[in-house]
């Protein structure tokens, strides 16, 4: 407790000294979310990274998020306190594999989930997040095939919502993949009055049980605006901190205790503190990749 308080104070002091902004994903540890200037979903975090006038961005999230910040704000120092925090789903698509697949679907518009490397974004036409995927795909010309990478569950959900035929990739989030329909059914039996909130990275059988399918920020907005008092949460555990903070009079139950992303938990207050002291580890993107990846991100931000 004392250590958390001491580190949090030090981080706040250093942050001013360094002219830094701290961005945190909702899956981060509660004490990390508490020292952030902005806590949000992947879309909100990209928007913040694009518009901040800070000199240093401390990204409490995973590697692709820090890379997106470096693409959108190339003049800023972007720090990722735990440099090994990656996203296994992002690693499920490589530039080489994508080039091969593009040859098989001539003329395809490649929509890449933001959970991809900068190099893969550079090989794609437009980015999306779970918050805007349906909107992005709907905005695309109907006479060209769509290839959606790498999240198969999100791609399938978007295909259903838009009525478009979408070529899918065999990628998935191995945190959301641990949740099964039987877990949700058991939670619903224990809490019959609760609404089921599902992230679209979940398996289709779980999405089918949802009262609302949304990005993390979308789920929080839904819970805030809903008349319901209880919710079963089908996404990573870190979000409970924001739910309880933003809806203190409502109850939230995690659908399974397996919903923990180790990469999102790898960032600690100690590491954030060290990053602000040393201004390391930094995430940079080579200019030739950056320019092309920026086009994909800017096309997304223009539609959103
Ligand atoms: P959102 O916060 O955009 O919903 O993304 C979830 C996720 O898995 C990020 O890694
Ligand atoms: Fe990647 Fe899933 Fe972790 Fe998000 S929750 S960083 S998609 S593994």
């Amino acid at each position: 407790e004392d250590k958390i308080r001491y580190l949090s104070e030090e981080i706040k002091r250093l942050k001013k000294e360094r002219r830094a902004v701290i961005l945190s994903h909702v899956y981060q540890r509660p004490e990390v979310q508490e020292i952030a200037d902005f806590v949000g979903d992947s879309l909100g975090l990209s928007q913040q990274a694009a518009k901040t006038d800070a000199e240093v961005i401390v990204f409490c999230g995973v590697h692709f998020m820090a890379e997106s910040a470096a693409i959108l704000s190339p003049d800023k120092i972007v720090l990722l306190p735990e440099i090994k925090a990656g996203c296994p789903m992002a690693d499920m698509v490589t530039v080489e594999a994508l080039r091969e697949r593009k040859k098989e679907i001539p003329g395809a518009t490649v929509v890449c989930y933001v959970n991809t490397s900068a190099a893969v974004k550079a090989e794609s036409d437009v980015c999306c997040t779970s918050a805007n995927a349906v909107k992005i795909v709907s905005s695309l010309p109907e006479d060209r095939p769509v290839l959606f990478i790498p999240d198969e569950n999100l791609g399938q959900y978007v295909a259903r919502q838009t009525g478009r035929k979408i070529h899918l990739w065999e990628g998935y989030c191995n945190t959301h993949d641990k949740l099964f329909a039987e877990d949700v059914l058991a939670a619903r039996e224990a809490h019959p009055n609760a609404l089921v909130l599902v992230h679209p990275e979940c398996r289709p059988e779980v999405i089918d049980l949802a009262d609302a399918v949304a990005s993390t920020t979308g789920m929080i907005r839904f819970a805030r605006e809903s008349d319901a008092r209880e919710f079963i949460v089908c996404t990573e555990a870190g979000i409970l901190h924001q739910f309880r903070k933003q809806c203190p009079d409502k109850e939230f139950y995690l659908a399974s205790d397996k919903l923990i992303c180790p990469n999102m938990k790898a960032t600690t207050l100690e590491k954030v503190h060290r990053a602000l002291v040393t201004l390391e580890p930094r995430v940079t993107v080579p200019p030739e990749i950056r320019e092309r990846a920026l086009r994909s991100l800017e096309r997304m931000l223009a539609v959103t």
Side-chain angles (χ1 to χ4, degrees):
E1 278 296 302
D2 275 357
K3 194 164 176 210
I4 288 181
R5 203 168 321 124
Y6 169 74
L7 280 171
S8 304
E9 288 309 314
E10 275 300 290
I11 288 167
K12 280 180 197 151
R13 187 181 63 75
L14 276 164
K15 190 172 75 176
K16 281 199 198 111
E17 210 173 286
R18 298 294 200 192
R19 297 179 53 77
V21 67
I22 303 181
L23 306 181
S24 167
H25 192 268
V26 296
Y27 295 164
Q28 292 286 300
R29 295 166 182 271
E31 66 273 19
V32 171
Q33 296 186 33
E34 283 302 307
I35 47 99
D37 298 289
F38 178 86
V39 183
D41 65 357
S42 310
L43 177 63
L45 291 167
S46 318
Q47 287 165 331
Q48 292 294 322
K51 74 175 194 202
T52 179
D53 49 18
E55 286 167 19
V56 177
I57 299 174
V58 185
F59 219 112
C60 303
V62 292
H63 195 265
F64 74 81
M65 297 180 171
E67 259 190 342
S68 296
I71 294 164
L72 290 162
S73 287
D75 308 329
K76 296 182 177 129
I77 294 173
V78 178
L79 303 174
L80 184 63
E82 171 48 74
I83 200 68
K84 290 204 286 286
C87 169
M89 185 208 287
D91 297 336
M92 291 177 190
V93 54
T94 61
V95 170
E96 293 70 32
L98 175 55
R99 284 188 183 149
E100 283 306 307
R101 188 73 194 279
K102 278 162 82 172
K103 278 190 219 149
E104 292 164 16
I105 317 169
T109 305
V110 181
V111 181
C112 73
Y113 194 26
V114 74
N115 299 41
T116 43
S117 67
V120 165
K121 287 186 177 76
E123 283 293 315
S124 302
D125 296 296
V126 60
C127 272
C128 73
T129 76
S130 58
N132 59 21
V134 170
K135 201 168 170 184
I136 299 279
V137 170
S138 305
S139 76
L140 298 175
E142 302 220 12
D143 55 345
R144 283 179 62 184
V146 172
L147 170 61
F148 191 97
I149 59 166
D151 189 358
E152 188 172 12
N153 292 341
L154 177 61
Q156 217 168 72
Y157 173 71
V158 172
R160 261 210 265 175
Q161 291 297 304
T162 58
R164 305 262 311 241
K165 180 177 170 359
I166 296 179
H167 296 268
L168 300 168
W169 193 271
E170 284 179 14
Y172 61 93
C173 162
N174 47 20
T175 299
H176 288 92
D177 186 57
K178 294 194 174 77
L179 183 66
F180 295 90
E182 62 198 58
D183 298 314
V184 182
L185 292 171
R188 222 165 51 177
E189 217 166 281
H191 310 287
N193 296 323
L195 294 185
V196 179
L197 307 179
V198 177
H199 195 280
E201 283 174 21
C202 289
R203 293 165 176 268
E205 65 186 64
V206 171
I207 293 182
D208 282 343
L209 297 171
D211 291 297
V213 180
S215 78
T216 51
T217 295
M219 285 183 181
I220 295 169
R221 193 181 312 122
F222 183 91
R224 252 196 343 241
E225 291 170 2
S226 168
D227 291 332
R229 320 239 31 99
E230 292 175 78
F231 301 87
I232 292 162
V233 176
C234 303
T235 195
E236 211 273 349
I239 197 173
L240 291 176
H241 182 63
Q242 287 302 316
F243 272 132
R244 289 173 181 151
K245 216 174 142 168
Q246 298 193 36
C247 311
D249 52 341
K250 301 189 178 183
E251 294 293 333
F252 297 91
Y253 316 107
L254 201 64
S256 158
D257 54 13
K258 288 174 286 195
L259 286 164
I260 292 175
C261 173
N263 284 284
M264 282 288 183
K265 300 297 183 254
T267 300
T268 58
L269 281 185
E270 282 87 352
K271 290 175 192 170
V272 174
H273 180 256
R274 197 182 317 139
L276 277 166
V277 172
T278 60
L279 291 182
E280 297 284 349
R282 295 185 193 192
V283 171
T284 56
V285 177
E288 69 281 5
I289 289 178
R290 185 197 158 252
E291 257 168 55
R292 289 182 296 136
L294 180 63
R295 252 178 280 158
S296 293
L297 278 168
E298 279 185 335
R299 278 184 72 182
M300 167 181 90
L301 293 173
V303 175
T304 302

